[in-house]
Amino acid sequence: MFAEWIEGNKQRILSSTQELLQIPSVGGEPAGSDKPFGIETDRALQYMLRLGNEHGFKVKNVDGYAGHIEYGAGEDYVAVLAHLDVVPTGTGWTYPPFAAEIHDGMIYARGAIDDKGPAMAAFYGLLALKESGVPIKRRVRLILGLDEETDWRCMDYYFQQETQPWGGFTPDADFPLIYAEKGIISFELSKFRSADRSGNLTLLQVTGGERPNIVPDICQAFLVAASDEVLVRFQEDLKQYCETEHIRYSLSRHENNEIVLTVEGRSAHGSLPFLGVNAVHHMGKILRHFLNDDHELWEFVASYDTEGKFLGINGSDEITGALSCNLGILKITEQNVSLVFDVRYPIDQTRDGLVELIQGTITETGFRLRVMHDLKPLYVSQESPVVSKLLHVYETITGQSAEPITIGGGTYARTIRNGVAFGPMFPGMADIAHQRDERISVDHLLTITNLYANAIYELAKS
Ligand SMILES: [Zn+2]
């Protein structure tokens, strides 16, 4: 229905997408009270709102936290939730990450697929609907957040000011459609410690991992050996132990019998911790074996498992599957121990229930529990109109049959009532979000523009 319009406006769609991608909208420090996430994310929002305004939409900037572009009349509204902030570029790009150059039919840029490309596709989908003049019953709002990659303060703030929609989708994950997402909780377990320097081997510090939601691939321990002999024996025993346990490590010797032990694992996303090799866990096993000190602590770290059995929180349900637990960060100083976890829990568990279980497990250990972040699970019934309409659109446009899916990751969809994730990635596509050479093909961009135009129309017409 909108395909012809999209084909006729291809150049406009491409150049707007490139211009938006050329704004380096990595979230930054506040720049005045109206730019809570920095200058560049604000520029991206201003760009979108200006574009909306130029095409006759109602636009609103909600105090620099988020904004929206609105079309139509009617009491309730359909929400399309996208975000304009991006993660830092990292290094090693083939083409500059904020030039949005097109090579072999691909637009290369940070944000091309996550999520500025899809945001623009949704915008032109809405414009196609508007210019076609077909009647709709609900208003449509393209809501643009600026803090998705960090803390979601944009959506918290937005929905304190604005009413909830009738339903909607976020173009920020996978097709055909995601109707359930596990709950997410990240928390710290910490306690005091006093390094005992009387043993043969003294542990001064350990650091491993940087973010709760990534499987740590490196963990380093700083140790001191009481004598040369101790050090030599440790080197030999360690070699044997790590061979038997299949642990990759390296050891460097410094002055005064100081040693740096580096354990290597393999990184993976924190929602799929079983795909990685956790360097902190391996370090725990080594230190349990070789240290006399902090024995309980090392027992605890060594007992870690990705299903959360060691915390007594394991479980699963029919819809979202098993709980996953990632031990993301370990930091030990001479006075303090801190462990940070990221847990994805099935929709039949609750945050409070988990906290209670964890408290029960750690009572004897001296750990204090501090919840850092939590997101409620998402679940929209497969029978709901939002799900059935969107699946119908997907099947009609792509000609593929559509089985909706569930994930452990978190999308914006959970910030709204009756919200699901709908694209932009098609089944079998390699996930290149947050990686170097992030890109979207021109064909892909135009296909999702058509899908989003139809999706918006189906949700808004009745
Ligand atoms: Zn995203």
Side-chain angles (χ1 to χ4, degrees), residues 370-391:
R370 180 174 68 93
V371 174
M372 299 162 70
H373 282 289
D374 70 297
L375 288 172
K376 280 196 292 260
L378 166 90
Y379 175 66
V380 179
S381 156
Q382 290 196 58
E383 274 74 56
S384 82
V386 170
V387 173
S388 58
K389 282 164 187 258
L390 291 179
L391 288 179

Side-chain angles (χ1 to χ4, degrees), residues 83 85 113-115 148-149 170-173 410 433-434:
H83 66 92
D85 59 317
I113 195 77
D114 180 20
D115 187 40
E148 196 272 349
E149 297 293 1
T170 181
D172 193 23
H434 298 199

Side-chain angles (χ1 to χ4, degrees), residues 207-224:
T207 52
E210 284 169 7
R211 286 169 59 171
N213 63 350
I214 295 177
V215 176
D217 60 352
I218 293 273
C219 185
Q220 282 195 317
F222 298 84
L223 299 138
V224 189

Side-chain angles (χ1 to χ4, degrees), residues 11-32:
Q11 272 323 315
R12 264 213 286 174
I13 298 172
L14 280 184
S15 50
S16 300
T17 305
Q18 286 175 298
E19 283 170 14
L20 179 62
L21 289 171
Q22 283 158 1
I23 302 168
S25 54
V26 178
E29 290 300 308

